[in-house]
Amino acid sequence: MSRRDELVSKLRGVPEGLPSVEEVRAMLAADPHLKCVVCYARISFDGRVKDAHGVEDQHRDMAEEARKLGWLVVYRYTDNDKSASREDVIRDDFEQLLTDLAAGQTQEGYPIHGVMAANDDRLYRRPSDWERYLKAFTAHEQRVYHDSNGVQDLYAEGFEIKGLLGVAMSLSETRKKQRRTRNSHRSRAMRGQSVAAWRPFGWQDDKITLRPEEAEAIRKAVHDVIAGASISEITRQWKEAGFITSRGNPFQYQTVKQVLKNARLCGYREVKGELVRDGDDQPVVGEWEPIITPKQWYAVTAKIRERGGGESGVARGSLAHKYLLTGILRCGMVLDDGSVCNCPMVGVRANKWLKYEHGYSCRPKLYGGCNGTWKRGDKTDELIEELVIAKLEEEAAAKAQDVPDWGKAEALERAIRSRNELERRWHDDQDADIDDEAFFRNLPVLERRVKELRADQRAHEVLKAEAEEAREDIREAWGKKTITQKREAIKKALIAVIAVSGGKGNKPFDPELLTPVWRTSA
């Protein structure tokens, strides 16, 4: 548990040193004027330091006010780093507060005679939350409420409307701030300025200059993903290298994918996943140093999208395997009825007394196999890798030929001009030929054309990136590939490898008992 989590945990529940429930009830019997109150603290953004100082300060101030008023704090509710204005944010302690208020006591059994908060907007910022809070608070009579305005009478006539007006004003101010933030964000984006709240991974604190080690890790990751590596493998590599996010957290699958999909890598600006474009419909280039080229960015994002609908780091329907040829090798054992087993073989750890670490075995009969074929793993891997490398070297010359420039640039430019002209005429009050009906009938056609051409442009960039990959030394590049990359390359070259049993006993490895089934070009 982090230091912040430990502090927030201490700021929740029964305060340290509070008497037992029985002792508190005895104190109430002796002093009918004593009030047992609960305190609620919340902050929307815990800041970059993430030390929970905001909620800690609120609880300290409320404890001091309770002491002055002679009230006894019996429970503390804390929602740290949580917004009260967003509907999709669940404030667990606020929900528990409402439950306890309705019940009249905390889960431990302490009675609740009132609530304290630093300000009313700590408790609620939306009308629905105000109504729920007021209903739970007034479920029992003679409760007290204290905030920055002092002691408030929530039972007073008209207070419900007063509270709603306060919520409406708070909500209006929040939305104004959000609009100003969005407009400022958009304006800075159009100027190519960095608007990141945190240092982006790959750049220095100025968000402009590259951080060499991180930038090189990104370049390698982009290169590997284009060549077939999975996001999971990149995540593991970054963890092993000791890289952490700019917020100080270990990299996870989703954060690595977000880094690689970010247009910032090639110098482009984007807002909510869309490239920011200038008046000529060209991507706005930021003020920071790029790590990769736009061509590489188009290629890597296309690769990520084509895998599992863009949400998976591995091709749809596939798994990350520990052994190279699992599922690629197929058992060639001839069964008693004359048919061939043809069951996919799986990689397994070899017995300790053998000279190799793994082997490939046909599945047991229970799982559709015959359990009659075993192949030594290291020799089998080596043989198939050599065959595939030789095949790739034969094909490399054809793949490495220069890919011509994209031939539809003028078509895209015309489509963009047509769309912009349509919009201009629609906004022109003097142009009576383009009414709303004509505009909305023609706009989708032009938008679809622009979208199709841009998709074709991205696909062309992928081809160019793959052509550049093919120019590398095949054997040298193969040695740097991960298991997933090698498997993808093997599956592109081979349909399967038929493995025939060499008989019982520990027989010498015989390459003649392995028959590759090559894919033929369509």
Side-chain angles (χ1 to χ4, degrees):
M1 183 183 292
S2 68
R3 186 175 179 180
R4 181 184 75 159
D5 292 338
E6 289 180 1
L7 176 58
V8 173
S9 180
K10 289 180 180 179
L11 295 175
R12 285 194 174 109
V14 178
E16 187 176 350
L18 184 71
S20 66
V21 174
E22 293 73 18
E23 291 173 320
V24 168
R25 292 192 182 278
M27 292 168 62
L28 290 170
D31 183 5
H33 298 291
L34 179 65
K35 297 290 185 182
C36 294
V37 298
V38 296
C39 296
Y40 178 82
R42 181 192 67 80
I43 195 165
S44 298
F45 179 56
D46 194 18
R48 297 189 180 185
V49 181
K50 296 292 183 183
D51 58 0
H53 69 275
V55 288
E56 183 182 27
D57 293 345
Q58 291 178 37
H59 276 301
R60 183 181 60 249
D61 293 344
M62 287 186 287
E64 178 63 20
E65 286 297 323
R67 187 188 63 77
K68 292 178 182 179
L69 293 166
W71 295 350
L72 182 65
V73 177
V74 297
Y75 203 87
R76 294 181 296 189
Y77 303 87
T78 305
D79 283 317
N80 188 50
D81 217 9
K82 290 189 175 182
S83 169
S85 57
R86 291 177 51 183
E87 294 183 6
D88 60 334
V89 174
I90 297 175
R91 294 184 287 149
D92 297 319
D93 273 31
F94 177 72
E95 297 298 329
Q96 186 62 51
L97 169 64
L98 298 187
T99 300
D100 293 348
L101 283 174
Q105 62 182 25
T106 68
Q107 291 177 301
E108 292 74 13
Y110 290 100
I112 301 178
H113 302 140
V115 177
M116 299 186 73
N119 207 336
D120 56 3
D121 64 1
R122 298 303 90 196
L123 280 162
Y124 44 79
R125 275 185 174 272
R126 294 184 293 134
S128 59
D129 286 342
W130 157 246
E131 292 171 355
R132 293 168 61 216
Y133 170 71
L134 186 62
K135 181 180 179 180
F137 184 93
T138 57
H140 298 266
E141 297 181 351
Q142 298 183 339
R143 280 177 169 165
V144 294
Y145 171 67
H146 182 279
D147 61 16
S148 59
N149 294 315
V151 179
Q152 307 289 316
D153 183 6
L154 271 61
Y155 301 91
E157 184 177 352
F159 197 88
E160 182 174 1
I161 296 176
K162 179 182 177 182
L164 283 173
L165 290 174
V167 170
M169 292 177 63
S170 176
L171 189 60
S172 175
E173 185 60 30
T174 298
R175 288 175 175 169
K176 284 180 182 178
K177 290 180 180 178
Q178 290 173 342
R179 283 196 298 271
R180 287 196 296 266
T181 300
R182 283 197 301 268
N183 291 338
S184 173
H185 190 93
R186 184 74 185 180
S187 297
R188 292 173 66 186
M190 290 301 296
R191 293 194 297 270
Q193 294 178 332
S194 176
V195 294
W198 299 86
R199 177 187 73 81
F201 182 73
W203 284 267
Q204 302 285 7
D205 292 335
D206 62 8
K207 305 171 189 175
I208 295 176
T209 310
L210 295 182
R211 184 166 288 195
E213 289 187 2
E214 294 180 357
E216 185 56 36
I218 290 174
R219 289 191 193 97
K220 182 179 183 302
V222 169
H223 175 278
D224 289 347
V225 170
I226 293 174
S230 69
I231 302 297
S232 297
E233 288 177 305
I234 303 302
T235 305
R236 184 172 63 252
Q237 291 172 5
W238 285 10
K239 284 183 176 180
E240 291 174 352
F243 288 119
I244 57 175
T245 69
S246 55
R247 298 192 184 194
N249 301 317
F251 270 104
Q252 303 298 328
Y253 176 93
Q254 287 295 337
T255 48
V256 171
K257 188 171 72 172
Q258 289 169 5
V259 169
L260 298 182
K261 290 176 65 178
N262 194 343
R264 171 182 250 274
L265 297 184
C266 69
Y268 288 168
R269 280 292 288 116
E270 63 180 346
V271 174
K272 294 184 177 181
E274 294 291 332
L275 289 180
V276 179
R277 297 179 180 274
D278 58 22
D280 296 324
D281 212 63
Q282 297 301 309
V284 172
V285 177
E287 61 185 352
W288 54 87
E289 295 182 52
I291 295 177
I292 59 176
T293 66
K295 178 172 59 180
Q296 291 172 315
W297 178 74
Y298 279 119
V300 74
T301 52
K303 282 289 184 182
I304 293 174
R305 278 197 304 272
E306 75 184 21
R307 295 170 179 176
E311 294 304 320
S312 173
V314 182
R316 181 176 291 172
S318 66
L319 298 172
H321 292 281
K322 182 177 181 180
Y323 300 107
L324 182 66
L325 298 176
T326 292
I328 297 173
L329 282 177
R330 288 186 172 268
C331 177
M333 175 70 76
V334 178
L335 305 179
D336 293 339
D337 62 0
S339 63
V340 177
C341 175
N342 200 36
C343 179
M345 298 174 67
V346 294
V348 294
R349 182 181 293 277
N351 292 324
K352 293 182 179 179
W353 61 81
L354 294 173
K355 296 181 180 180
Y356 50 93
E357 295 182 352
H358 75 283
Y360 295 99
S361 174
C362 182
R363 293 177 182 274
K365 293 181 180 180
L366 180 63
Y367 298 103
C370 68
N371 201 29
T373 301
W374 169 271
K375 290 298 172 186
R376 175 172 176 166
D378 58 346
K379 295 288 187 180
T380 302
D381 290 348
E382 182 181 346
L383 174 65
I384 300 306
E385 285 187 76
E386 284 296 326
L387 291 173
V388 171
I389 289 172
K391 183 73 170 178
L392 292 176
E393 286 176 337
E394 290 179 9
E395 298 174 348
K399 278 190 176 181
Q401 62 182 334
D402 290 334
V403 176
D405 292 337
W406 189 54
K408 300 179 182 178
E410 292 185 3
L412 175 58
E413 186 177 348
R414 286 196 302 271
I416 292 171
R417 282 203 306 267
S418 298
R419 183 196 61 189
N420 293 346
E421 178 62 14
L422 179 68
E423 292 178 344
R424 186 197 64 76
R425 293 180 63 189
W426 182 54
H427 287 294
D428 188 353
D429 295 335
Q430 304 300 319
D431 194 332
D433 293 334
I434 302 295
D435 56 14
D436 290 350
E437 190 275 333
F439 175 75
F440 287 107
R441 184 180 68 249
N442 289 282
L443 182 63
V445 178
L446 295 173
E447 288 281 13
R448 185 165 56 252
R449 177 61 175 163
V450 171
K451 185 176 181 179
E452 289 172 351
L453 287 168
R454 282 183 176 154
D456 188 76
Q457 185 182 37
R458 287 195 299 269
H460 184 267
E461 294 292 346
V462 173
L463 287 177
K464 293 188 73 172
E466 289 179 340
E468 289 186 2
E469 295 291 331
R471 294 191 185 98
E472 294 182 348
D473 182 272
I474 300 298
R475 188 170 296 276
E476 181 183 352
W478 186 269
K480 298 177 182 178
K481 289 182 183 294
T482 63
I483 289 288
T484 300
Q485 288 174 302
K486 290 180 179 180
R487 283 179 57 83
E488 289 300 310
I490 290 171
K491 287 191 289 185
K492 286 181 180 180
L494 290 166
I495 297 175
V497 177
I498 306 301
V500 178
S501 174
K504 295 182 179 181
N506 189 15
K507 301 291 180 64
F509 179 76
D510 186 356
E512 296 298 324
L513 298 178
L514 292 169
T515 305
V517 182
W518 299 99
R519 293 188 184 276
T520 57
S521 56

